[in-house]
Every structure is written in C-alpha cells, then in structure tokens.
Amino acid sequence: MTISIRDVVESFEYLFDSFHDKEFMKTRSVTGMNEKELLLPVRLYLLGCFGEDVHPEYETELPGHGATGWGRIDFKIGDVAVEFAVRSETATKGSISPSIQTTEMKKLMKYDGKALLVLFDFSDSPYSEEELNDFRDIPSLGRGNYKYSAFNLAYFCVASRGPAKTKLISKNIRIN
C-alpha cells in the first residue's frame, strides 16, 4: 500500500479535529499538553491508522548534529517522513516558530523522499498564513555539497471564525 502526504495529513486532521470535539473528549483536554506528552498517544493513533507502516524515531542523516551527524525523525509512515511539533494553549508563539523548528526542517530537507512537518497549535492566537511563509527561509546545513528535498507543512489551529472549529493551512516548502 502506498501512503501519500495527503493520507498522512488527513489522519492528523482527523486527530486534531477529534481533540476539539467535546463529545469525544468528554472531560479530558489535551490543549495544555506539549509535544512530549502527546507523542505516545499520537504514535498509538498512527499505529491504528497505518499499522506496520508506522516506524517511530526513524534514524536519518543530520549534518552538523553532534559527533555522529545523525538524528531521528518522529515518524516514518510508509515512505513519508513526519516531524511533529505542538504549541500548547499557554505556550508562546515562538515554540513552533521556524527558528525553533530548524533541526526538524533540516532532517526533512535531508530525507530522500516525501516529508511532512506537522504543527498542532492549541493556542488562541494562531499564526497567519503570511507568518507561516517564514518556514520558506531554509536553514543552512553548513559546509558541504548537500542534496536537498522539498517538504510539506501542515499547520493545524483553532479556527478564529466560521462554523469549523479547526483550520488547516498547508504549504509546500521548496528548496532552491
């Protein structure tokens, strides 16, 4: 079975929507949780969605990272590399900013295949589409003649207007 970026984005969209469904969540809330607290439930959810095609903490090349030059991608789903970041309802806007996500962006840029950066923003002051364009400012991988790959961005936030409770902004980040 071939898994597409769209398949992965749709699964995260369903999860994010469910986190905001009062009938589903009942008295529990995840909006105050950070990435570390959500990684295990997300891993289990993805296992239910994609079965044995989910590989957590997948090792990948990361130039300039420590002595080894290797890092770990949060999930590899089929052949799609996925980095996951969360901004809790009380965290600052910078917690999922491009400058904080530099290492994650580098891992996705170096991954030879489809790649996706998933951002869950539980705050009441979401990024605008224009602010998300800052992710197009690609970090340097340092010295060397590196092969780069484009990656996709899926930003989920609480909708400020309209009937929908949540909103998805997608972008393709091309490397020049």
Side-chain angles (χ1 to χ4, degrees):
M1 173 172 118
T2 301
I3 298 171
S4 69
I5 293 279
R6 181 182 305 247
D7 296 331
V8 177
V9 170
E10 286 175 354
S11 70
F12 276 99
E13 183 173 28
Y14 185 77
L15 180 62
F16 192 79
D17 287 345
S18 296
F19 284 159
H20 290 87
D21 181 349
K22 289 184 187 341
E23 282 299 307
F24 178 74
M25 294 304 292
K26 301 290 183 188
T27 59
R28 305 287 295 175
S29 176
V30 298
T31 59
M33 293 182 171
N34 61 29
E35 177 182 344
K36 187 176 180 180
E37 295 166 323
L38 275 179
L39 268 175
L40 181 59
V42 169
R43 180 186 294 188
L44 296 173
Y45 168 75
L46 292 172
L47 178 65
C49 289
F50 299 104
E52 61 188 34
D53 288 322
V54 175
H55 304 280
E57 299 181 33
Y58 183 78
E59 193 169 55
T60 188
E61 186 178 357
L62 180 56
H65 183 70
T68 65
W70 290 87
R72 294 187 185 273
I73 291 175
D74 291 331
F75 305 101
K76 183 173 161 260
I77 304 170
D79 64 345
V80 179
V82 178
E83 277 294 329
F84 177 66
V86 175
R87 176 183 175 201
S88 71
E89 64 188 352
T90 58
T92 65
K93 206 166 195 173
S95 62
I96 58 171
S97 69
S99 61
I100 298 297
Q101 299 303 316
T102 297
T103 301
E104 287 72 14
M105 291 167 57
K106 286 180 180 181
K107 288 185 269 187
L108 295 174
M109 288 165 46
K110 285 302 298 163
Y111 181 75
D112 189 18
K114 298 178 279 188
L116 175 66
L117 176 59
V118 175
L119 304 175
F120 275 14
D121 189 347
F122 294 118
S123 74
D124 60 359
S125 59
Y127 278 88
S128 67
E129 191 153 352
E130 293 75 34
E131 289 173 308
L132 290 173
N133 284 333
D134 290 345
F135 279 92
R136 296 187 191 281
D137 296 334
I138 302 303
S140 170
L141 293 176
R143 291 185 192 182
N145 187 14
Y146 296 108
K147 180 180 178 240
Y148 300 96
S149 296
F151 66 92
N152 291 278
L153 171 73
Y155 173 76
F156 299 90
C157 62
V158 177
S160 56
R161 296 187 198 102
K165 293 180 190 172
T166 62
K167 179 178 175 183
L168 163 64
I169 299 174
S170 298
K171 293 195 176 286
N172 185 269
I173 310 299
R174 298 237 173 249
I175 314 300
N176 294 331

